[in-house]
Amino acid sequence: MLYLTCSSKLATMRRLLGSSFPESLKEMTDPLDPYTNTYFLFSKDPQSLHRMLQDPQTVNWKQELQIQGCQPQLGKVLEEVSSTYGSKMHTTSNLLYMKDKTEEEELKNCTIRPRKLPRVPENLLKKRRKYQGLKAAEAKRALEEKRKVQPGKQIKFKRLETLVRNSRRKLRDDTRLRRMEIYNRGPKLANQKLAFVARIMDIQGVSPAVLRVLKNLRLGDIFSGTFVKLTPESVKMLQVVEPYVAWGFPNLKSVRELILKRGQTVVKGKKVPLTDNNMIEEQLGQLGIICLEDVIHELYSAGNHFTRVNRFLCPFQLSISRHAGVNRKGYITEVGDPGNRGIGINQLIRKLN
């Protein structure tokens, strides 16, 4: 490599390079763009700097330009040369600071103490592992059921026993409804105004009349519950669906626990828990109901606005044990038989809430 230290040699090299430079690229230069007309000067001798700057072949002082360099005397030389050409000059300086030790070396030298993890009791670890196993088995069963209904995976058919069971259930419902119309025997209410209805049985193959009543009561899902204001019409509806629901007369404590723990409403198409009284005031404020206590009082007393408040609440999704998905028959035996339970409905609410 050849080092050029003479200004005349640098000028000669610039002329040679300029003559061999393509004309198409020469047209891209702009005399008014200082960023295009940039010069970098590096020299330790102030006299050589002075000669290089005064040479018109090296620097064109008729255009806007910028000169960069790292010599401390470059600013003084530029002032002298620019004054001879009558050019205005603006200088800027940047400082570079160097540290003795880098940040990586400082991080290596500093001592990092290992973090002590909190100890977990062994019984809690066993519970976690058991819970994870149950969740994994449940997810596996759900995946298998999903694969069954997918097209092309497996043909889903009904067994003959299922068709016989559904036909017998429908026939039994039709017979029971005809007997109700003939005898017209109702339960003893004993001046009760409010009832809580929970669906605890499967409804596959039931009569269409039973399905219509369940839809009016909003009991489409199993283990769902709702409040019903007791009137002669509602009592007849409860008699229609009595083999599939458990109902009775809740006390104030049961009503309060259900609404505080499982009360939900629909806001913009989504179920939202009742955690804010402003939500209640926006929907039911015109009825004089502005908080949860007003909702509880209106439901328990079966007031004039009972239907509006009951429609404001979503059906209560009751809780079932984890083994209910595996041993459904045993769980139904544990819950009890459907029908009118009177004040015994409060025990069922405690178990499923």
Side-chain angles (χ1 to χ4, degrees), residues 103-113:
E103 295 181 358
E104 295 181 358
E105 293 178 354
E106 293 178 359
L107 291 175
K108 290 181 181 179
N109 295 332
C110 68
T111 57
I112 301 176
R113 296 181 180 178

Side-chain angles (χ1 to χ4, degrees), residues 268-302:
K268 296 180 180 180
K270 294 183 180 180
K271 287 186 178 181
V272 180
L274 297 177
T275 57
D276 190 3
N277 288 331
N278 294 329
M279 188 189 313
I280 301 174
E281 186 175 1
E282 289 177 1
Q283 300 289 334
L284 305 174
Q286 65 274 16
L287 305 179
I289 300 172
I290 59 174
C291 61
L292 275 174
E293 292 298 328
D294 293 342
V295 173
I296 296 171
H297 177 266
E298 187 68 23
L299 289 175
Y300 182 70
S301 62

Side-chain angles (χ1 to χ4, degrees), residues 196-199 218-219 223-227 314-318:
F196 181 76
V197 187
R199 183 188 144 198
R218 302 186 298 168
L219 297 176
F223 296 112
S224 61
T226 183
F227 291 108
C314 296
F316 300 97
Q317 299 297 328
L318 303 176

Side-chain angles (χ1 to χ4, degrees), residues 55-309:
D55 188 0
Q57 299 293 333
T58 304
V59 179
N60 185 8
W61 291 91
K62 295 181 181 180
Q63 59 185 359
E64 294 187 9
L65 53 89
Q66 60 174 334
I67 299 175
Q68 298 181 7
C70 58
Q71 297 83 3
Q73 63 275 13
L74 180 60
K76 187 181 296 184
V77 176
L78 284 174
E79 289 179 0
E80 295 176 0
V81 177
S82 62
S83 61
T84 57
Y85 285 97
S87 302
K88 295 181 180 180
M89 185 185 69
H90 175 69
T91 59
T92 57
S93 60
N94 297 320
L95 299 178
L96 178 63
Y97 294 94
M98 300 295 291
K99 289 185 178 181
D100 296 337
K101 292 184 178 180
T102 60
E103 295 181 358
E104 295 181 358
E105 293 178 354
E106 293 178 359
L107 291 175
K108 290 181 181 179
N109 295 332
C110 68
T111 57
I112 301 176
R113 296 181 180 178
R115 182 183 176 185
K116 293 183 179 180
L117 297 176
R119 295 183 178 180
V120 183
E122 187 176 357
N123 58 348
L124 183 58
L125 292 175
K126 289 182 179 179
K127 287 182 180 180
R128 289 179 180 176
R129 286 195 293 268
K130 185 178 179 181
Y131 178 71
Q132 290 175 358
L134 290 173
K135 294 295 287 185
E138 184 179 353
K140 185 178 179 180
R141 286 194 300 271
L143 183 60
E144 291 176 354
E145 292 295 331
K146 184 178 179 181
R147 287 177 177 175
K148 288 180 181 179
V149 300
Q150 285 181 353
K153 294 290 183 180
Q154 185 176 356
I155 300 175
K156 191 173 183 180
F157 61 95
K158 289 186 178 181
R159 299 178 64 87
L160 182 60
E161 292 84 352
T162 304
L163 297 175
V164 173
R165 183 198 64 186
N166 293 344
S167 62
R168 287 180 177 177
R169 180 177 288 181
K170 185 177 181 301
L171 179 62
R172 190 164 54 245
D173 284 340
D174 294 339
T175 305
R176 181 173 56 85
L177 294 177
R178 284 198 303 269
R179 288 176 180 174
M180 282 177 53
E181 293 177 357
I182 296 174
Y183 296 104
N184 194 15
R185 296 174 182 177
K188 297 181 180 180
L189 300 180
N191 298 326
Q192 297 290 338
K193 298 180 181 179
L194 180 67
F196 181 76
V197 187
R199 183 188 144 198
I200 59 174
M201 298 295 290
D202 192 12
I203 58 171
Q204 290 184 358
V206 300
S207 174
V210 177
L211 292 177
R212 285 195 298 268
V213 175
L214 288 173
K215 185 177 181 180
N216 291 335
L217 295 175
R218 302 186 298 168
L219 297 176
D221 298 331
I222 193 169
F223 296 112
S224 61
T226 183
F227 291 108
V228 176
K229 186 177 182 179
L230 291 177
T231 60
E233 293 78 9
S234 62
V235 172
K236 290 181 180 179
M237 294 172 64
L238 292 177
Q239 287 179 323
V240 171
V241 298
E242 197 168 19
Y244 309 101
V245 300
W247 66 283
F249 315 123
N251 54 25
L252 181 60
K253 181 180 178 181
S254 299
V255 176
R256 186 186 301 276
E257 289 179 353
L258 277 171
I259 294 177
L260 292 180
K261 186 174 182 180
R262 301 195 178 274
Q264 291 181 331
T265 186
V266 177
V267 178
K268 296 180 180 180
K270 294 183 180 180
K271 287 186 178 181
V272 180
L274 297 177
T275 57
D276 190 3
N277 288 331
N278 294 329
M279 188 189 313
I280 301 174
E281 186 175 1
E282 289 177 1
Q283 300 289 334
L284 305 174
Q286 65 274 16
L287 305 179
I289 300 172
I290 59 174
C291 61
L292 275 174
E293 292 298 328
D294 293 342
V295 173
I296 296 171
H297 177 266
E298 187 68 23
L299 289 175
Y300 182 70
S301 62
N304 298 328
H305 308 296
F306 175 85
T307 305
R308 179 74 180 277
V309 176

